[in-house]
């Protein structure tokens, strides 16, 4: 992973000292809340429903054990003993006291972590495939490019006051695990006819009030020209983007209203200028970064302990079947640690759990951890011979739930339990759904399924791209939940279709139960997933299951 230089450390120390002085002025009354707000947001500090919330960046989702331990220490000392991992590969502390935030930031800065640009109308935390550097299907590790973008975008003088927040995601594989098509800019690694690796550039994706799938603005950009090209895209948006209406200020609206061809022409005109502004030394900088991301020294050993445990232990076998992914190195696996124990809050991890995961990464995973946008933790490099011992250790802190990719592996935003913007609860819905399908014994029979829940139209829970999406809204003071069907966050990305009228809070679980039982009844065979069945059959049979009274009336 990237190692901070003296410049980086000095920059962060100076930035934290600046914010400490601002906090002191807020506490002594020299700054009003209105004056303090833009300053705190530049440093990731929100004022939520009940308390401040500090959002901390985990660039491209990569952590080392010391950083994870520091999250645990900070959560235990200055918060309520846990942190919440988000869909943007950040961690949020939901209960910090304002006077403690500078100390928190200084503590995080000691291990190369900060909260800069986790809020505001600027380029946010650059995210990436959580299997980067390990995936068997990878073209190249996209994290060096993501790190280059992080350095380019941090405190970029032209891009601190964009029309609206701006998000970039990078994938190094043809299979999209980073939801790149739902970002303002999405980058997809690909190889050209000469065998050179570059990136396809997509623009105008995003969820929220007006969900859109990104469109390809350039099929291939070499790594040598990637920064000047992205500079051209963002600066064009900075000029063309609307500032008269915050709901129409995202780049997706700019591209939609002007048309992709018009926007592309403006970008190309700007690119002719920015191309000359960037030194060829950018490639040297990228090469230096790539050296920091050299793969670990994989060991050559037998897998007999794994094979024996898989054959003899059904609990271990169930976990291996759901929570392991193919690795590019022989004898290794990628391990996803579920933060979705049935009935738990999706994405939450206690200080004790974080310390255990740090220890296990150090012992078994070449000292690397990743945070996924799906709100789970990944150990990217684990030799199969170590998996039985790893699994046994995970069980001691409730981290061995065998449900990755299943109905209880639900993405959910904090909702009205925490967020000042939320219009409905998300967490209890996720908890009740997870427990319901476990107790019904249907989770493994249902198989691969992505349920995503948002507590407001801002769509932090990615409900638009869930196979089943749930959106909580306020209807005359009462929580009402809309269901969308057929969304997809991968390379075949799609925005889910609204099924019909919303459901009251106590009707959501029964409605999803009817929906999934209809799927089990109508699927072609045991191997057909919910999304495949939806695409084959269309929405009609699933809407009939959700609204049986209407179906009977129509009959």
């Amino acid at each position: 992973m990237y190692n901070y230089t003296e410049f980086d450390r000095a920059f962060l120390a100076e930035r934290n000292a600046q914010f400490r002085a601002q906090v002191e002025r807020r506490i002594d009354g020299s700054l009003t809340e209105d004056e303090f707000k833009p300053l705190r947001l530049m440093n990731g500090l929100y004022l939520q429903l009940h308390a401040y919330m500090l959002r901390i960046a985990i660039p491209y989702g990569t952590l080392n054990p010391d950083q994870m331990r520091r999250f645990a220490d900070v959560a235990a000392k200055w918060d309520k003993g846990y942190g919440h991992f988000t869909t943007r590969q950040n961690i949020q502390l939901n209960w910090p006291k304002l006077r403690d935030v500078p100390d928190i930031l200084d503590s995080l800065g000691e291990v190369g972590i900060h909260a800069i640009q986790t809020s505001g109308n600027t380029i946010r935390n650059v995210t990436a495939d959580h299997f980067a550097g390990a995936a068997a299907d990878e073209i190249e590790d996209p994290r060096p490019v993501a790190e280059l973008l992080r350095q380019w975008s941090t405190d970029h003088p032209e891009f601190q006051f964009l029309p609206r927040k701006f998000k970039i995601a990078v994938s190094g594989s043809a299979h999209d695990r980073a939801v790149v098509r739902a970002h303002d800019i999405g980058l997809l690694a690909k190889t050209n006819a000469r065998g050179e690796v570059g990136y396809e550039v997509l623009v105008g994706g995003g969820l929220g009030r007006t969900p859109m799938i990104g469109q390809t603005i350039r099929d291939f950009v070499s790594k040598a020209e990637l920064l000047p090209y992205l500079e051209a895209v963002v600066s064009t948006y900075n000029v063309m983007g609307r500032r008269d209406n915050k709901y129409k200020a995202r780049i997706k609206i700019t591209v939609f209203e002007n048309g992709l061809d018009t926007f592309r022409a403006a970008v190309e005109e700007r690119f002719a200028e920015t191309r000359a502004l960037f030194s060829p030394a950018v490639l040297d900088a990228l090469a230096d970064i790539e050296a920091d991301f050299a793969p670990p020294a994989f060991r050559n050993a037998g897998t007999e302990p794994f094979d024996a445990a898989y054959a003899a232990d059904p609990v271990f076998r169930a976990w291996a079947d759901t929570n392991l992914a193919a690795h590019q190195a022989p004898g290794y696996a990628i391990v996803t640690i579920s933060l979705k124990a049935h009935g738990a809050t999706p994405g939450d991890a206690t200080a004790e759990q974080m310390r255990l995961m740090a220890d296990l990464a150090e012992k078994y995973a070449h000292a690397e951890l990743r945070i996924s946008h799906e709100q789970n933790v990944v150990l990217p490099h684990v030799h199969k011979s170590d998996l039985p011992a790893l699994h046994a250790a995970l069980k001691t802190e409730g981290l061995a739930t065998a449900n990755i990719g299943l109905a209880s592996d639900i993405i959910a935003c904090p909702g009205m339990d925490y967020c000042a913007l939320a219009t409905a609860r998300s967490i209890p819905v996720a908890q009740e759904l997870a427990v319901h399908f476990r107790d019904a014994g249907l989770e493994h029979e249902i198989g691969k399924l992505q349920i995503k829940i948002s507590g407001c139209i801002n769509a932090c829970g990615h409900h638009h791209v869930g196979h089943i999406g749930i959106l909580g809204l306020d209807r005359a003071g009462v929580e009402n939940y809309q269901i969308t069907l057929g969304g997809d966050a991968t390379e075949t990305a799609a925005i889910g279709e609204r099924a019909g009228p919303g459901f009251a809070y106590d009707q959501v679980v029964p409605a999803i139960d009817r929906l999934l039982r209809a799927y089990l009844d109508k699927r072609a065979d045991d191997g057909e997933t919910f999304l495949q069945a939806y695409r084959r059959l269309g929405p009609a049979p699933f809407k009939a299951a959700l609204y049986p009274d209407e179906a009977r009336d129509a009959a």
Side-chain angles (χ1 to χ4, degrees):
M1 62 182 297
Y2 178 71
N3 295 301
Y4 268 39
T5 65
E6 278 302 318
F7 173 86
D8 297 321
R9 287 188 284 272
F11 170 84
L12 200 52
E14 182 179 344
R15 179 65 176 259
N16 289 349
Q18 180 189 65
F19 188 54
R20 181 180 292 276
Q22 293 165 351
V23 170
E24 290 172 354
R25 290 163 62 203
R26 175 68 189 109
I27 290 172
D28 70 19
S30 301
L31 288 175
T32 67
E33 173 54 32
D34 285 344
E35 292 169 331
F36 182 57
K37 181 178 179 180
L39 302 175
R40 63 172 168 79
L41 289 177
M42 291 174 70
N43 293 279
L45 188 63
Y46 288 72
L47 188 56
Q48 295 247 92
L49 199 59
H50 307 292
Y52 283 103
M53 178 271 281
L54 181 63
R55 180 181 293 153
I56 301 155
I58 304 171
Y60 35 88
T62 294
L63 285 172
N64 63 38
D66 287 341
Q67 292 170 330
M68 182 66 97
R69 289 191 191 99
R70 189 58 56 94
F71 287 156
D73 294 344
V74 165
K77 182 174 182 179
W78 286 299
D79 207 272
K80 292 190 175 184
Y82 71 95
H84 176 72
F85 293 102
T86 78
T87 56
R88 289 288 304 156
Q89 294 179 320
N90 299 309
I91 185 172
Q92 294 181 176
L93 300 177
N94 287 311
W95 304 99
K97 294 180 173 60
L98 177 58
R99 64 176 176 271
D100 293 332
V101 172
D103 289 337
I104 294 172
L105 293 176
D106 280 345
S107 179
L108 294 170
E110 291 172 357
V111 293
I113 292 289
H114 63 75
I116 298 169
Q117 292 181 204
T118 57
S119 181
N121 294 336
T122 186
I123 297 175
R124 302 284 186 90
N125 183 34
V126 179
T127 60
D129 180 356
H130 43 271
F131 290 172
D137 62 347
E138 189 169 76
I139 297 169
E140 76 164 9
D141 186 342
R143 293 176 302 154
V145 164
E147 171 59 27
L148 185 70
L149 298 184
R150 184 193 70 82
Q151 294 184 22
W152 160 74
S153 62
T154 301
D155 264 10
H156 190 301
E158 187 181 344
F159 302 149
Q160 293 306 299
F161 299 96
L162 295 169
R164 199 72 172 86
K165 58 187 176 182
F166 201 92
K167 301 174 181 179
I168 301 175
V170 192
S171 174
S173 302
H175 177 51
D176 181 8
R177 287 175 290 265
V179 206
V180 298
R181 291 162 178 82
H183 282 74
D184 299 282
I185 288 178
L187 300 177
L188 289 165
K190 61 191 309 184
T191 305
N192 66 11
R194 294 188 296 274
E196 300 164 332
V197 176
Y199 283 83
E200 179 182 353
V201 181
L202 300 96
V203 297
L207 305 179
R209 190 174 297 268
T210 312
M212 294 184 182
I213 298 300
Q215 304 176 71
T216 298
I217 188 170
R218 256 216 184 192
D219 188 61
F220 186 89
V221 178
S222 70
K223 286 189 278 188
E225 294 191 328
L226 189 59
L227 276 191
Y229 190 77
L230 296 188
E231 178 101 5
V233 172
V234 182
S235 60
T236 299
Y237 161 63
N238 202 17
V239 172
M240 294 177 65
R242 292 180 58 173
R243 287 177 163 85
D244 62 318
N245 184 334
K246 71 176 183 178
Y247 302 120
K248 298 183 183 296
R250 297 291 294 270
I251 191 174
K252 61 188 177 184
I253 303 299
T254 306
V255 173
F256 175 77
E257 290 185 337
N258 291 277
L260 180 63
D261 290 341
T262 298
F263 186 78
R264 181 189 286 117
V267 168
E268 291 295 333
E269 183 178 352
R270 177 65 177 143
F271 181 45
E273 301 168 348
T274 58
R275 180 189 270 141
L277 300 176
F278 281 78
S279 163
V282 166
L283 276 183
D284 296 333
L286 180 58
D288 289 342
I289 293 170
E290 287 173 340
D292 283 330
F293 290 87
F298 297 122
R299 74 178 197 266
N300 184 17
T303 61
E304 291 81 5
F306 170 81
D307 299 332
Y310 191 87
D313 183 352
V315 175
F316 175 78
R317 182 164 58 251
W319 177 80
D321 286 343
T322 55
N323 292 43
L324 302 184
H327 197 283
Q328 59 191 234
Y332 275 77
I334 302 169
V335 177
T336 301
I337 301 171
S338 174
L339 298 185
K340 316 282 183 63
H342 299 89
T345 300
D348 277 9
T350 67
E352 292 77 13
Q353 289 174 326
M354 287 189 270
R355 290 191 182 103
L356 176 63
M357 289 187 285
D359 292 345
L360 295 177
E362 208 158 57
K363 187 173 182 179
Y364 298 119
H366 296 276
E368 286 193 43
L369 305 103
R370 308 284 169 73
I371 307 304
S372 76
H373 81 272
E374 294 161 337
Q375 299 176 291
N376 293 310
V377 176
V378 175
L379 301 181
H381 313 295
V382 181
H383 195 275
K384 288 184 176 180
S385 62
D386 292 326
L387 288 170
L390 174 69
H391 178 252
L394 290 171
K395 288 195 289 188
T396 66
E397 286 292 344
L399 291 170
T401 306
N403 67 341
I404 296 302
L406 302 182
S408 61
D409 186 13
I410 297 170
I411 288 178
C413 72
M416 211 160 59
D417 289 298
Y418 295 98
C419 183
L421 301 177
T423 49
R425 291 169 291 170
S426 297
I427 293 170
V429 176
Q431 292 169 323
E432 291 177 25
L433 281 169
V435 170
H436 173 82
F437 287 107
R438 178 201 62 188
D439 292 350
L442 293 175
E443 188 166 35
H444 286 271
E445 186 178 354
I446 291 166
K448 293 293 184 183
L449 180 69
Q450 293 181 350
I451 300 176
K452 305 178 191 285
I453 306 174
S454 299
C456 80
I457 197 67
N458 290 308
C460 293
H462 292 190
H463 68 276
H464 293 296
V465 289
H467 302 164
I468 298 172
I470 302 173
L471 168 62
L473 298 170
D474 181 308
R475 291 283 185 260
V478 177
E479 290 169 303
N480 183 272
Y481 294 84
Q482 292 180 358
I483 308 296
T484 55
L485 302 173
D488 183 5
T490 71
E491 62 278 6
T492 53
I495 300 299
E497 177 185 352
R498 182 180 168 188
F503 295 89
Y505 174 85
D506 60 359
Q507 296 174 344
V508 175
V509 173
I512 302 300
D513 181 86
R514 293 193 302 272
L515 176 68
L516 290 176
R517 289 181 187 274
Y519 151 67
L520 292 174
D521 181 59
K522 296 180 182 300
R523 65 184 177 181
D525 53 56
D526 291 350
E528 186 177 47
T529 67
F530 175 86
L531 184 61
Q532 289 168 340
Y534 181 83
R535 288 175 170 173
R536 177 175 61 85
L537 297 168
F542 301 101
K543 290 183 178 182
L546 284 173
Y547 307 101
D549 292 342
E550 293 181 16
R552 279 193 295 269
D553 291 344

